[in-house]
Structure formats: structure tokens, C-alpha cells
């Protein structure tokens, strides 16, 4: 009972005591609360900012890789491209001679003309071989390619020969697709249809051959092909 | 005087209403925090964090009267204090041998001042003080205390008993008559 009185007094005192009033500084605590709220606002924006930065970096990297892919497509298995590289090699030899003798503007221009001539010659030869298919389109593309190579060769003539040779092997090309490639899906479809037709024939043949055999009637294909609805009696009689 | 209108305004993130609430309850919260945490700076941190949580979470609750709102706020303050105590690993369960119960006579109880009581409570070990505060002053049950502190209800009961015993012993020691008798 005495202890109950003691603890009641302790409770009342603890709830109402003002012994801590000297340490109480509301402004300091309020400043802490405000600081915490500001921090929270910033932390709300932070993930959005980080996400947008990541998105921008990702997009720029993607565009960069796309750009590189477009610019660094390696020439593969194209006769036209080989011919152009050959023409460039001719141009390079001329370029080498030119650079040994003199690096003047005149010679570089001459080299440029020679290179153009060699390239166009190679293109004409190729066109004669491949025929007139997609003539206009290929011509335009070839002109662009030739210009790219010429520009690279022009700068190579001014200084770095080795670098120019390396650069010239890498170029943008639109290799005309072979007719076989375009027909591949059609061929595949044709093959598939042919296979299906042959299978059907096989089933019919098998069906005709084994019509009298009971064992084949249990086969799924036999059921399908027999049209049991039309001749159920025959089936039952055989069983 | 806090009204429901002020509480609703504070729920709508009105800074003026929030400041009014803080001015009204801040001191109560600080006193409450100081009962658990003896360091005033850490008690301030606990109050600041609790006030921030109150302002952030109060729009999620619907208060139909002021007393439940006050209870809700006090509970948040207590939770923040317990969080700090747990972080500092100062909340330790005391293992002591059983002592004979002390009985404080009426005269000693009458003569006890508020400062003496607060001092005696502050001098209790953190574990005892926490459970004593939670049970005797805040009015939590042993199962609630066990849940809050991550201990068993039995541990809570035994710790409370030991806390009371130690408190009574220290109060008796404060009595000048007892002190004189002890010296003799």
C-alpha cells in the first residue's frame, strides 16, 4: 500500500515535473525538424534526378553505338566493294608516289581525280557484270561510297598513309541482296507445302494399302483418314 | 489550446498549424524523452525525429478528438526514444540477485521533492528505467512492453520488480534519518 502511494507520487511528478525546463530550447528542435523536412524533399527529388541522368546517359550511349555500327560496317563478300578497295589501292600507290615527290596541293588534286577515275571504272565494270538491276539506286549509293573513299584518300595524301589504308577498308556499303536471299522465305514455304503434300499422299497410300488390316485402324491417322462416320459398319464388321 | 481544426490544418501540411502544435506539445515531448534518455542532446534528436514523423504521418490518421491525438503523438515519441536506446545498445536487461523488498514510510514519501524523484529515476539503469517508465508512467501492459522491446512478458515483469525495488532502496537512502542511522 505504501509502495503504491510512492509510485503514484512518482508518476504524478514525472508527468508534471518542470525540472527539464532549463534544457528546453524549442527553436533548436524546430530547426532540426525543418532541416529534416528539407532533407526529405531533396531525397524525394534525388531518385528522379538519378533516373533521368541514367536515361540520358543510356540514350546517348545507344545512339553512339548505333552511329558506330552505321559507320563501321565492314565490307564482306561483295564484289563491288572489293573492286572499290582495289581502286583505292591503286589510288594509294599514286598517293605514295605523290607524297614522296611533293606534298603540294596540285598533286593532291591530281591524285583525287585519278582516284575518282579508278573508282568509277571499277563501278562501271561491276555494273556490266551484275546487269541493270536496281541501277539507279546502286548508282546513287556507289557515288556516296566513292565520295567517302575519296575524301579519306584526300586527307591520307596530305599525311598519314597507313591510317588512310586502314580507314579505307572500313566503309559504309549497301550490298545488294542476292535473289536467292529474297526468295528464301518463299522457298521455305514451297518446301513446307511440298512436304505436307507428300505426307498426305503417303497417308492415303498407306490407308489404301492397309484398308483390310485391323491393326492400322487403331492408328490415329487411320481414324482421321478413314472417315468412320461414313463407314462405321465396315469397321465394326472387321472388328 | 489545441482544437481539432488546428489538427486538421496541420494534417494538410499547414506550417503555421504545425508550429502551433509543436509549441504546445514540444515541451511535453521533451520531458517524456528525457525520462528515457538522460542525454539532453539525444533527447532533442529523438523529439525532432518524432515531431517530423508526426507531421509526415498525421494525414494518414483521422482524429475525432484531441486526447487520442495526444496519445498517438506520445507513442511516437516513446518509440523514437526506444529506437535511440536500441541503437546505442544501452537497453540491457539487468541480471541481479533477488533483494529483500524495501518499504518507504509515509513521511519519506511526503518529503520527496520532484527534483529528487526525477534524479532517482534518471539514475536507474537504462533497462530498468525504460520498463518502469513504460509500465508505471505510460501505462503500457507487460505484453505491449515485451513486443516493443523484443523481450518476453516474464522478463518485463521481473525487470519491473527489480526496478521498483532499486527505486525504493534509493529513495530510502535519500531520507536523512536513514542516512544518519546508516552512518551510526
Amino acid at each position: 500500500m505504501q509502495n503504491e502511494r510512492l509510485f503514484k507520487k512518482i508518476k504524478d511528478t514525472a508527468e508534471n515535473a518542470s525540472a527539464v525546463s532549463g534544457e528546453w530550447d524549442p527553436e533548436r528542435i524546430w530547426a532540426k525538424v525543418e532541416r529534416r523536412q528539407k532533407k526529405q524533399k531533396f531525397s524525394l527529388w534525388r531518385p528522379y534526378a538519378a533516373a533521368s541522368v541514367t536515361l540520358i546517359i543510356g540514350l546517348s550511349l545507344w545512339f553512339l553505338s548505333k552511329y558506330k555500327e552505321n559507320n563501321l560496317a565492314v565490307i564482306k563478300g561483295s564484289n563491288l566493294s572489293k573492286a572499290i578497295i582495289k581502286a583505292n589501292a591503286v589510288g594509294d600507290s599514286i598517293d605514295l608516289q605523290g607524297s614522296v615527290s611533293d606534298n603540294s596541293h596540285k598533286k593532291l588534286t591530281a591524285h583525287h581525280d585519278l582516284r575518282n577515275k579508278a573508282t568509277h571504272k571499277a563501278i562501271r565494270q561491276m555494273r556490266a557484270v551484275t546487269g541493270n538491276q536496281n541501277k539507279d539506286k546502286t548508282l546513287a549509293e556507289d557515288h556516296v561510297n566513292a565520295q567517302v573513299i575519296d575524301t579519306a584518300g584526300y586527307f591520307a595524301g596530305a599525311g598519314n598513309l597507313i591510317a588512310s589504308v586502314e580507314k579505307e577498308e572500313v566503309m559504309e556499303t549497301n550490298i545488294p541482296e542476292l535473289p536467292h536471299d529474297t526468295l528464301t522465305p518463299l522457298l521455305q514455304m514451297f518446301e513446307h507445302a511440298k512436304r505436307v503434300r507428300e505426307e498426305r499422299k503417303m497417308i492415303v497410300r498407306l490407308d489404301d494399302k492397309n484398308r483390310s488390316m485391323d491393326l492400322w485402324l487403331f492408328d490415329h491417322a487411320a481414324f482421321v483418314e478413314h472417315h468412320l462416320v461414313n463407314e462405321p459398319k465396315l469397321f465394326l464388321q472387321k472388328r | 489550446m489545441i482544437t481539432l481544426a488546428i489538427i486538421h490544418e496541420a494534417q494538410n501540411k499547414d506550417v503555421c498549424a504545425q508550429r502551433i502544435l509543436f509549441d504546445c506539445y514540444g515541451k511535453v515531448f521533451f520531458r517524456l524523452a528525457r525520462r528515457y534518455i538522460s542525454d539532453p542532446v539525444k533527447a532533442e534528436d529523438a523529439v525532432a525525429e518524432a515531431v517530423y514523423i508526426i507531421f509526415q504521418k498525421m494525414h494518414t490518421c483521422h482524429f475525432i478528438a484531441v486526447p487520442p491525438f495526444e496519445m498517438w503523438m506520445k507513442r511516437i515519441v516513446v518509440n523514437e526514444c526506444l529506437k535511440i536506446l536500441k541503437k546505442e545498445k544501452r537497453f540491457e536487461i539487468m541480471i541481479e540477485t533477488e533483494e529483500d523488498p524495501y518499504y518507504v514510510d509515509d513521511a519519506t514519501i511526503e518529503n520527496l521533492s520532484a527534483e529528487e524523484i526525477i534524479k532517482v529515476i534518471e539514475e536507474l539503469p537504462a533497462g530498468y528505467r525504460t520498463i518502469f517508465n513504460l509500465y508505471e508512467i505510460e501505462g503500457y501492459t507487460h505484453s505491449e512492453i515485451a513486443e516493443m522491446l523484443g523481450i518476453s512478458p516474464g522478463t518485463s515483469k521481473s525487470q519491473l520488480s527489480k526496478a521498483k525495488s532499486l527505486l525504493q532502496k534509493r529513495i530510502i537512502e535519500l531520507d536523512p534519518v536513514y542516512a544518519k542511522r546508516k552512518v551510526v
Side-chain angles (χ1 to χ4, degrees):
Chain A
M1 190 67 191
Q2 279 176 329
N3 288 342
E4 278 177 20
R5 276 191 64 202
L6 171 69
F7 294 125
K8 193 174 180 300
K9 186 171 182 179
I10 288 172
K11 187 181 176 182
D12 292 341
T13 312
E15 280 180 344
N16 304 311
S18 57
V20 293
S21 58
E23 300 161 352
W24 169 242
D25 185 359
E27 293 306 323
R28 201 164 55 207
I29 297 176
W30 184 250
K32 281 182 185 178
V33 174
E34 283 187 329
R35 209 179 305 139
R36 185 79 172 80
Q37 279 177 334
K38 276 178 191 169
K39 201 176 165 186
Q40 169 70 12
K41 277 177 191 169
F42 178 67
S43 64
L44 277 173
W45 279 101
R46 202 163 44 186
Y48 292 110
S52 55
V53 166
T54 312
L55 190 70
I56 289 162
I57 290 169
L59 279 172
S60 57
L61 283 173
W62 184 72
F63 279 121
L64 200 70
S65 64
K66 275 276 173 190
Y67 179 76
K68 276 184 181 173
E69 269 176 29
N70 288 335
N71 285 335
L72 299 175
V74 182
I75 303 161
K76 280 179 185 176
S78 167
N79 290 330
L80 175 65
S81 311
K82 278 177 186 173
I84 290 166
I85 289 166
K86 212 174 184 179
N88 285 334
V90 172
D92 285 336
S93 65
I94 296 158
D95 188 21
L96 187 67
Q97 287 167 8
S99 62
V100 167
S101 60
D102 190 11
N103 274 336
S104 67
H105 180 69
K106 254 185 186 179
K107 289 204 171 180
L108 281 172
T109 315
H111 154 249
H112 184 74
D113 293 339
L114 271 168
R115 180 180 292 253
N116 266 345
K117 278 174 190 171
T119 310
H120 286 292
K121 194 181 170 186
I123 291 164
R124 273 198 299 278
Q125 283 172 356
M126 260 318 295
R127 194 159 296 128
V129 174
T130 53
N132 288 328
Q133 201 176 11
N134 296 323
K135 192 176 179 180
D136 295 333
K137 193 180 172 186
T138 319
L139 187 68
E141 286 164 1
D142 292 346
H143 271 294
V144 170
N145 291 331
Q147 279 173 5
V148 168
I149 294 157
D150 289 341
T151 316
Y154 182 83
F155 285 113
N160 197 352
L161 258 172
I162 300 160
S164 75
V165 171
E166 281 174 357
K167 272 183 188 172
E168 281 160 9
E169 286 181 357
V170 177
M171 57 181 286
E172 185 182 0
T173 52
N174 268 330
I175 301 160
E177 286 181 355
L178 293 170
H180 177 74
D181 291 339
T182 53
L183 288 173
T184 305
L186 278 171
L187 279 170
Q188 282 176 353
M189 283 171 69
F190 176 71
E191 286 291 324
H192 179 71
K194 194 178 169 185
R195 198 165 58 244
V196 168
R197 196 166 57 245
E198 280 175 2
E199 279 173 8
R200 201 181 301 131
K201 275 180 190 172
M202 285 288 287
I203 290 163
V204 171
R205 249 181 264 145
L206 204 67
D207 187 24
D208 289 341
K209 199 190 274 180
N210 298 311
R211 192 163 276 239
S212 58
M213 290 175 73
D214 288 346
L215 184 66
W216 283 103
L217 289 169
F218 290 99
D219 187 19
H220 175 71
F223 273 110
V224 171
E225 293 296 322
H226 257 289
H227 304 294
L228 289 177
V229 182
N230 295 334
E231 35 186 30
K233 284 176 186 173
L234 182 66
F235 175 74
L236 288 170
Q237 280 169 2
K238 281 175 184 174
R239 290 284 292 177
Chain B
M1 180 70 185
I2 296 299
T3 58
L4 273 176
I6 294 170
I7 294 170
H8 291 318
E9 279 175 27
Q11 279 178 323
N12 293 327
K13 310 265 179 187
D14 184 66
V15 181
C16 292
Q18 287 179 348
R19 181 68 209 224
I20 291 166
L21 282 179
F22 174 74
D23 287 338
C24 189
Y25 292 109
K27 198 171 179 179
V28 179
F29 295 160
F30 184 66
R31 213 154 47 205
L32 176 61
R34 283 286 278 111
R35 280 208 299 270
Y36 290 88
I37 304 163
S38 46
D39 183 2
V41 178
K42 280 171 187 165
E44 272 184 10
D45 288 343
V47 171
E49 187 66 25
V51 169
Y52 167 74
I53 290 169
I54 288 163
F55 292 157
Q56 288 295 310
K57 304 273 179 188
M58 68 189 301
H59 71 278
T60 59
C61 306
H62 179 66
F63 301 105
I64 50 167
V66 177
F69 175 63
E70 289 175 353
M71 290 301 293
W72 178 74
M73 288 195 297
K74 279 184 181 177
R75 187 157 189 149
I76 289 172
V77 176
V78 169
N79 284 339
E80 282 308 308
C81 292
L82 294 180
K83 234 186 254 178
I84 287 176
L85 285 173
K86 280 180 185 173
K87 207 186 281 178
E88 291 177 351
K89 293 181 181 175
R90 286 184 62 189
F91 179 75
E92 291 162 2
I93 301 298
M94 303 292 288
I95 301 161
E96 282 184 13
T97 52
E98 284 291 323
E99 288 183 20
D100 294 328
Y102 295 88
Y103 292 103
V104 186
D105 57 7
D106 286 348
T108 313
I109 295 169
E110 288 299 319
N111 292 331
L112 270 175
S113 65
E115 288 79 19
E116 283 174 332
I117 289 171
I118 288 162
K119 194 185 168 200
V120 166
I121 293 171
E122 275 184 6
E123 283 173 356
L124 281 176
Y128 284 176
R129 190 173 65 231
T130 306
I131 290 170
F132 180 79
N133 275 324
L134 288 170
Y135 187 86
E136 284 293 333
I137 299 166
E138 312 300 337
Y140 288 102
T141 62
H142 281 298
S143 55
E144 283 174 327
I145 294 167
E147 198 181 322
M148 286 163 92
L149 299 177
I151 55 174
S152 69
T155 310
S156 172
K157 281 177 193 171
S158 70
Q159 292 290 302
L160 178 71
S161 169
K162 285 168 188 170
K164 279 180 172 179
S165 181
L166 187 62
L167 199 68
Q168 287 169 76
K169 187 185 169 187
R170 293 206 174 148
I171 286 169
I172 290 167
E173 283 170 356
L174 285 173
D175 187 11
V177 179
Y178 174 85
K180 204 181 281 178
R181 200 164 56 218
K182 203 175 179 184
V183 170
V184 171

